[in-house]
């Protein structure tokens, strides 16, 4: 069964409001929230589909449009796969749990609930999974403020969004962070131009002489010059000594 046939079969099982699309030879079927459990059950039990292997479940924050819950299933018998997707509104992010259909969905639903703030009705153990006790917020929501990105300077060579054309580096506020949140963001102090910094060849140091000028006599002197400087003076003529 090809992706188009697979999508058409899943749409027929899901009923009104379902649609399918194929991209890169993979089928994605959008299912209404109220038909979520029934469609997943039919995908598992239908002999022509045989999507009985649970792979993973997660979500995507679509901002004002709500959250997309995505489920990936695979058929060991037919060697095909399908992506089932449903949308829940931001004002009521609830969805029936799939643990009664796929026991492996329990861990994935706990993670998705914790990271996105969704509620899976009927989950047998909806306890926090990854975050420490007392953690406030849901880190994978797009409106979640990344506090560490404001409190700690970005360690990269350039800030995200900074020009690579040689513009002066400055700390930039991460996207989505309110202007009045965290420490103030100020440009870094300008560094002196290279020609104004002392201690480099060809650059005038205090006193007017360049480093190259100061090192020139040392570099010009060779072994013969050093030996001549250490040799005793030759005796002059007797007349000069008597005088």
């Amino acid at each position: 069964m090809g992706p188009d046939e697979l999508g058409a079969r899943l749409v027929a099982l899901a009923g009104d409001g379902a649609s399918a699309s194929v991209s890169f030879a993979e089928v994605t079927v959008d299912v209404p929230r109220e038909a979520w459990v029934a469609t997943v059950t039919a995908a598992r039990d239908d002999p022509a589909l045989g999507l009985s292997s649970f792979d993973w479940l997660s979500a995507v924050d679509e901002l004002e449009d709500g959250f997309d819950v995505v489920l990936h299933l695979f058929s060991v018998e037919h060697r095909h796969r399908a992506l089932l997707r449903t949308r829940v509104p931001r004002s009521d992010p609830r969805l029936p749990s799939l643990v009664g259909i796929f026991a492996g969905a329990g861990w994935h639903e706990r993670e998705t609930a914790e990271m996105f703030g969704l509620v899976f009705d009927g989950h047998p153990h909806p306890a926090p999974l990854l975050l420490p006790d007392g953690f406030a917020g849901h880190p994978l929501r797009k409106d979640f403020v990344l506090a560490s990105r404001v409190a700690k300077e970005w360690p990269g060579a350039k800030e995200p969004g900074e020009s690579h054309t040689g513009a002066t580096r400055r700390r930039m506020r991460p996207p989505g962070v309110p202007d009045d949140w965290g420490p103030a963001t100020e440009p870094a102090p300008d560094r002196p131009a290279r020609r104004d910094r002392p201690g480099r060849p060809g650059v005038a140091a205090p006193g007017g002489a360049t480093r190259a000028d100061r090192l020139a006599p040392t570099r010009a002197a060779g072994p013969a010059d050093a030996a001549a400087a250490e040799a005793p003076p030759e005796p002059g003529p007797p007349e000069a000594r008597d005088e």
Side-chain angles (χ1 to χ4, degrees), residues 19-74:
S19 62
S21 60
V22 177
S23 178
F24 299 101
E26 297 287 342
V27 60
T28 300
V29 179
D30 290 291
V31 181
R33 177 166 60 163
E34 56 273 12
W36 179 243
V37 173
T39 303
V40 175
T41 303
R44 181 196 65 179
D45 297 339
D46 185 80
L49 297 177
L51 295 167
S52 58
S53 179
F54 175 91
D55 191 1
W56 54 266
L57 180 145
S58 188
V60 179
D61 186 355
E62 298 293 350
L63 298 177
E64 64 274 4
D65 293 332
F67 300 92
D68 283 342
V69 178
V70 185
L71 169 66
H72 190 261
L73 300 176
F74 181 74

Side-chain angles (χ1 to χ4, degrees), residues 16-230:
D16 296 339
S19 62
S21 60
V22 177
S23 178
F24 299 101
E26 297 287 342
V27 60
T28 300
V29 179
D30 290 291
V31 181
R33 177 166 60 163
E34 56 273 12
W36 179 243
V37 173
T39 303
V40 175
T41 303
R44 181 196 65 179
D45 297 339
D46 185 80
L49 297 177
L51 295 167
S52 58
S53 179
F54 175 91
D55 191 1
W56 54 266
L57 180 145
S58 188
V60 179
D61 186 355
E62 298 293 350
L63 298 177
E64 64 274 4
D65 293 332
F67 300 92
D68 283 342
V69 178
V70 185
L71 169 66
H72 190 261
L73 300 176
F74 181 74
S75 173
V76 177
E77 179 182 359
H78 302 297
R79 311 298 296 177
H80 57 219
R81 66 190 74 242
L83 202 66
L84 301 181
R85 180 173 59 188
T86 190
R87 177 165 294 182
V88 296
R90 204 173 194 86
S91 59
D92 183 27
R94 310 180 71 91
L95 193 66
S97 175
L98 298 179
V99 174
I101 306 169
F102 293 108
W107 189 95
H108 295 254
E109 289 181 348
R110 287 174 61 188
E111 180 192 36
T112 304
E114 191 173 26
M115 293 297 175
F116 291 93
L118 275 65
V119 178
F120 291 91
D121 295 323
H123 194 288
H125 185 57
L129 181 67
L130 302 176
L131 300 176
D133 294 338
F135 188 92
H138 307 286
L140 293 187
R141 286 194 174 196
K142 292 181 179 178
D143 57 1
F144 182 79
V145 177
L146 298 176
S148 62
R149 283 289 288 110
V150 180
K152 184 178 180 182
E153 186 175 358
W154 176 253
K158 289 182 173 61
E159 288 284 342
E162 184 179 358
S163 173
H164 61 277
T165 58
T168 302
R169 180 179 175 178
R170 62 186 180 87
R171 291 190 61 186
M172 299 182 66
R173 186 170 297 276
V177 177
D179 293 336
D180 58 349
W181 200 94
T185 302
E186 297 180 356
D190 294 336
R191 298 178 62 188
R194 183 175 296 272
R195 62 177 177 272
D196 298 332
R197 302 200 323 251
R200 295 183 180 273
V203 178
T210 66
R211 187 167 181 263
D213 295 335
R214 290 185 281 108
L215 296 180
T218 304
R219 291 176 178 173
D225 299 327
E230 296 177 359

